[in-house]
Amino acid sequence: MARKNEFLNLIKKQRDTKKTERFEGTFLEYLDLVKNRPESVKLAHKRLYETIKDRGIETLDVDSELYRDIFNGDKIRTYNYFEKEFFGMESVINKLMRFLKSAAFKGEESRQVLLLMGPVGAGKSALIDSVKRALEDAEEYYYLEGCPIREEPLHLLPRSLRGDFEDILGVHIEGDLCPVCRHRLMTEFDGKYECFPVKQTGFSQRGRRGIAVVPPMDANSQDVSVLIGTEDISKLDLYPEDDPRVLSLNGAFNVGNRGIVEFVEVFKNEIEFLHTMLTATQEKRVPSPGKNDMLYFDGVILSHCNESEWNRFKSEHTNEAILDRVLKIEVPYVLELHQEQKIYEKILDKSDFRGAHIAPHTLKVASMFSVMSRLQPSNKCDLLTKMKIYNGEAIIEKGRVKKVDIRDLKDEAKHEGMEGISTRFIMKALDAALSDSDNGMITPINVVDSMIKQVKEQIIDEDAKTRYLEILQKVIREEYLRILETEIAKAFISAYEEQAQSLFDSYLDNAECYTTKTRVKNKITREERDPDEKFMRTIEEMISVTGSARDGFRNDVTAFMFSKMRKGETVDYKSYGPLKEAIEQYLITSVKDIARIVTRSKSRDDDQKKKYTDMISTLIEEYGYNESSAEEILTYASNNLWRDS
Ligand SMILES: Nc1ncnc2c1ncn2[C@@H]1O[C@H](COP(=O)(O)OP(=O)(O)OP(=O)(O)O)[C@@H](O)[C@H]1O
Ligand SMILES: [Mg+2]
């Protein structure tokens, strides 16, 4: 009983707030309201732009080298509204918002159709859905009561008075009264427009208020009434043909007036159909059914298609008029590994598999596949390296950070991101692996298997199939084994971070003294000695710094660290890429043998047993495994990593 009351209270409360907040009054009262709040009068593009913008904008750090390279020096803003849901799409979102902004200021864009063009699963529909949802949360708007297209009440003002009212109210008035309201004004209110009732409402796609979606239609079923409404045949007997009362204004342009009209896979429609779209953008008018006047239309027209549809449409010169009205934004796949990974984290988090155990590196390995499948080979570096460079990772070669310019790589691969493995393909592989698992867990090992299976079954193009299988069975497999080897070794080293840091400190002390030709002073005993050449060499060998290269390396490290310290930045063993790599390799090498022996051994002595259980608990407590996944990767490591030894 108590519970029931609780429900009822909630329901009532929500209903009451809705009721009290919504405006209802005459046009005269509405004029007063506009005088006080002129900003409530807005055209569709502006409302949409401001709704999204008002959630907050940040400017990405353009000084950061990585961002500068990824975005080709462009200034990039991030919009809080999209931030939690879209990853690696900053460029696309910036273009979309630039379009809305210019359109809001009544640039040519307000008379254009926005077209998102890109490969399957690149996020086009998701982005448009999100934009539509923004509108559903937008401030409510005012309209003439009973108007089938919920038009702006200011349309009531006769042309001759508009200049005066614009001055008094401080707003711009655009658009003409629709035939239905005009008829009502004359018959019901005897032309006294100040008495016309005005109401307030919000946007709703399901309620068909201000948001309309036009699905693609084949030539046979295509009927322009889907866009502009019809005449109600039953009423044709009652009224003359040109009487607005016969109109049934429920087409997409009627429903989407003041908000958004979305065309799904726009070029699948017949050309005649698209001409209505053209008139709507260009003239801001749509035909009305039967013999009535054109109707004023104010809305944002959004559409999407894939590349082959676009190319086909573009190749016909009869389509030029339409192409001229289209602002195309390319929506490529994500090419940055860490961003791609966030997509799957997001989708899994929303799915029924939310509680499943996902072993470390699983989504990374899956994302490696989709990203690499999208990359064009380059002769500047191999595919894996290219992926890492795009991801902002430092590539160490012969003791130096390898300098490959992202911009050079992008310049030679203009079409990159428009083809390859889609997000949906990866999701299906993850789903399949999760459904097959009997302990509610997935690991990189069974996800790679699942992806291989899916490539074999679903990729028809033989060349692509071969290329994808090579990425999975060779490149990713080897990279994962490397990751695994490091991780297991790390788990064998107790207090890994501290050990690495202390190696770093002593390397830095020695290298500094070596470079400045001074002696190393023991901090406690104050004893002095020469720099430890043997120790430095052991570290340097890890990254193949030998012979005459040593002096340069020691110099570089010392100079780098001191310039950082001078700037007041803290330094640790991760500060300088090449040295970090060397230290990690050193530590890993030091435990490699014991790691292999202890892991593979069937009968462990007491010391080994302890090492083994300690390692397992590090994997679980610090690296995010559970018992089954730890066991699975260790078995895999025994069978693959250390097979030859
Ligand atoms: N960059 C991205 N950031 C966040 N989510 C993404 C991204 N790219 C794709 N997705 C997700 O991938 C899924 C598929 O995307 P969506 O359906 O929007 O693709 P689409 O471009 O409309 O494809 P299609 O051409 O097949 O209709 C969605 O769940 C979407 O949220
Ligand atoms: Mg779609």
Side-chain angles (χ1 to χ4, degrees), residues 10-267:
L10 265 174
I11 295 170
K12 272 193 188 142
K13 209 168 125 197
Q14 193 257 1
R15 197 171 289 149
D16 288 347
T17 45
K18 278 223 154 136
K19 241 187 225 156
T20 47
E21 275 172 16
R22 281 199 169 149
F23 173 89
E24 261 182 68
T26 62
F27 181 61
L28 198 63
E29 286 161 327
Y30 175 67
L31 286 175
D32 203 41
L33 182 147
V34 173
K35 173 83 187 115
N36 291 328
R37 292 193 63 239
E39 67 277 9
S40 56
V41 179
K42 262 178 221 157
L43 294 181
H45 290 89
K46 187 163 192 179
R47 178 174 289 113
L48 185 56
Y49 173 70
E50 290 185 347
T51 303
I52 296 174
K53 184 202 73 167
D54 288 348
R55 297 287 189 91
I57 308 178
E58 267 147 57
T59 307
L60 274 191
D61 179 10
V62 276
D63 288 338
S64 133
E65 205 171 313
L66 175 63
Y67 283 139
R68 203 167 51 225
D69 288 346
I70 290 179
F71 299 117
N72 203 7
D74 290 347
K75 193 167 169 186
I76 289 288
R77 300 197 160 104
T78 54
Y79 292 83
N80 294 351
Y81 178 73
F82 296 111
E83 207 171 39
K84 290 213 174 58
E85 224 181 315
F86 295 95
F87 312 105
M89 283 181 80
E90 293 81 5
S91 243
V92 172
I93 290 173
N94 269 256
K95 287 179 193 153
L96 167 76
M97 292 305 288
R98 212 172 297 146
F99 163 83
L100 287 177
K101 185 177 180 183
S102 326
F105 289 101
K106 300 216 189 67
E108 179 55 26
E109 282 83 351
S110 65
R111 293 176 186 266
Q112 297 214 310
V113 174
L114 185 83
L115 172 72
L116 300 181
M117 188 275 278
V120 295
K124 304 180 293 293
S125 302
L127 187 59
I128 292 190
D129 282 346
S130 170
V131 169
K132 290 189 292 191
R133 242 176 297 125
L135 212 48
E136 293 189 318
D137 292 336
E139 199 189 337
E140 303 212 321
Y141 62 100
Y142 302 89
Y143 69 102
L144 289 177
E145 187 213 87
C147 176
I149 59 171
R150 288 168 315 283
E151 67 185 314
E152 166 59 55
L154 293 174
H155 290 175
L156 284 170
L157 289 169
R159 291 265 156 192
S160 55
L161 268 180
R162 284 195 183 180
D164 293 342
F165 270 100
E166 284 187 342
D167 291 345
I168 303 170
L169 300 173
V171 299
H172 172 71
I173 305 170
E174 185 182 297
D176 298 303
L177 202 59
C178 83
V180 177
C181 292
R182 187 179 310 128
H183 184 268
R184 191 172 171 210
L185 174 64
M186 294 333 259
T187 51
E188 208 173 308
F189 300 103
D190 200 19
K192 288 199 189 100
Y193 52 85
E194 65 278 18
C195 306
F196 209 115
V198 172
K199 279 182 123 175
Q200 197 181 14
T201 190
F203 294 89
S204 158
Q205 179 171 336
R206 288 204 312 180
R208 290 179 55 85
R209 290 194 311 271
I211 301 175
V213 180
V214 186
M217 264 163 293
D218 62 57
N220 301 324
S221 64
Q222 208 165 50
D223 180 348
V224 79
S225 67
V226 172
L227 299 182
I228 62 166
T230 50
E231 287 181 305
D232 188 339
I233 304 174
S234 66
K235 288 185 183 154
L236 277 173
D237 293 342
L238 304 172
Y239 309 115
E241 226 185 329
D242 58 355
D243 191 307
R245 281 171 295 182
V246 305
L247 293 177
S248 181
L249 294 176
N250 54 9
F253 282 108
N254 310 132
V255 170
N257 189 35
R258 310 199 66 182
I260 293 174
V261 179
E262 175 195 6
F263 283 83
V264 179
E265 297 176 54
V266 58
F267 296 131

Side-chain angles (χ1 to χ4, degrees), residues 490 496 573 579-589:
K490 271 182 165 181
Y496 179 86
Y573 82 94
L579 186 55
K580 166 176 174 266
E581 171 100 4
I583 288 173
E584 295 202 318
Q585 280 307 323
Y586 175 85
L587 280 169
I588 289 161
T589 314

Side-chain angles (χ1 to χ4, degrees), residues 549-595:
R550 287 180 195 128
D551 279 15
F553 183 75
R554 291 173 195 173
N555 248 320
D556 286 355
V557 172
T558 316
F560 181 84
M561 294 305 166
F562 280 96
S563 89
K564 271 195 124 90
M565 286 186 216
R566 258 198 310 279
K567 285 186 221 147
E569 293 171 36
T570 51
V571 299
D572 63 19
Y573 82 94
K574 291 178 183 149
S575 300
Y576 188 63
L579 186 55
K580 166 176 174 266
E581 171 100 4
I583 288 173
E584 295 202 318
Q585 280 307 323
Y586 175 85
L587 280 169
I588 289 161
T589 314
S590 70
V591 292
K592 238 181 208 167
D593 288 340
I594 185 80

